[in-house]
Amino acid sequence: MNVILLGPPGAGKGTQAVRIAEKYQIPHISTGDIFRKNIKEQTPIGVVAKSYIDKGQLVPDEVVIEIVRQRLAEKDCEKGYLLDGFPRTTFQAEALAGFTTVDTVLNLDIDLNLLMKRLTGRRVCSACGESFHVSFIGDAKECSKCGGALIQRADDNEETVNNRLVAYTNQTAPLIDYYTKQGTLKNVQADGKIDEVFAAITRVLG
Ligand code: AMP
């Protein structure tokens, strides 16, 4: 089962990805998580990626494509994978088609006007990756799932979120057409509750 999660920043890709990976027992590959790990460890990739991520811009295609190409060649991807946040450009999608076959593209469909509030109020567990929103958790500092420290992502500020939404509209949204033409795209309404969105995803994936 080779699956792509497509959707704007804040649509809930990370939240749903954790649940999909657990239910279908496939590795969750988030290019954003890979970059954040590299930034933390101050690797050469991390240094390059940070200069783009801090501005809300996409990391250059050639950097991210090579990371994904190598990751998909690992043994645990033999039975399938879930790509979260890749591809984000048509160029990346075409490169991906050169080294794997995608079965299903889940497009998390949501009104873009909801996303600024979702992202600027988001808190993420630094240990397990679960996402929360201040409107539910207030100023809680610990993850209710695993006890890890909750953090605010450096790129979840208003200015950077604006740039990320522009990058999505100009560079990533064309993939909806691209995968519709390939016949692999399935739309999932993503403005409901987490469990409802997940139920809709499982109806698509079976
Ligand atoms: P995410 O965690 O998916 O929201 O990604 C955080 C940031 O990492 C994005 O705003 C981009 O700057 C960068 N990034 C993640 N995935 C990609 C990708 N496939 N192509 C280019 N940049 C990416």
Side-chain angles (χ1 to χ4, degrees), residues 91-167:
F91 191 85
Q92 291 176 18
E94 284 167 352
L96 181 68
F99 51 81
T100 187
T101 307
V102 175
D103 302 317
T104 308
V105 179
L106 291 167
N107 181 43
L108 297 189
D109 193 3
I110 188 160
D111 179 354
L112 294 188
N113 293 315
L114 297 175
L115 301 176
M116 176 59 77
K117 208 171 141 229
R118 273 199 183 198
L119 287 164
T120 53
R122 176 161 74 173
R123 299 293 181 269
V124 185
C125 176
S126 53
C128 74
E130 186 74 17
S131 282
F132 301 90
H133 196 276
V134 289
S135 60
F136 294 109
I137 61 160
D139 60 1
K141 302 272 181 288
E142 280 177 13
C143 172
S144 57
K145 239 177 105 185
C146 78
L150 295 183
I151 53 155
Q152 180 169 28
R153 269 173 50 171
D155 58 348
D156 277 348
N157 64 78
E158 201 169 325
E159 189 188 345
T160 309
V161 169
N162 258 322
N163 294 340
R164 289 161 67 196
L165 293 174
V166 170

Side-chain angles (χ1 to χ4, degrees), residues 9-10 13 30-33 35-36 49 52-54 56-61 64 68 84-89 92 122 153 155 164:
K13 294 190 297 296
S30 155
T31 42
D33 284 351
F35 287 136
R36 281 183 288 278
Y52 293 92
I53 293 174
D54 282 352
Q57 296 171 354
L58 296 187
V59 176
D61 284 335
V64 67
V68 173
D84 161 11
F86 183 95
R88 261 177 157 100
T89 65
Q92 291 176 18
R122 176 161 74 173
R153 269 173 50 171
D155 58 348
R164 289 161 67 196

Side-chain angles (χ1 to χ4, degrees), residues 1 19 46 50 57 64 68 74 77 85 94 98 114 155 181 184 196:
M1 179 189 274
R19 288 159 176 80
K50 185 172 165 31
Q57 296 171 354
V64 67
V68 173
E74 285 178 36
C77 293
E94 284 167 352
L114 297 175
D155 58 348
K181 287 190 185 120
T184 45
E196 291 165 3

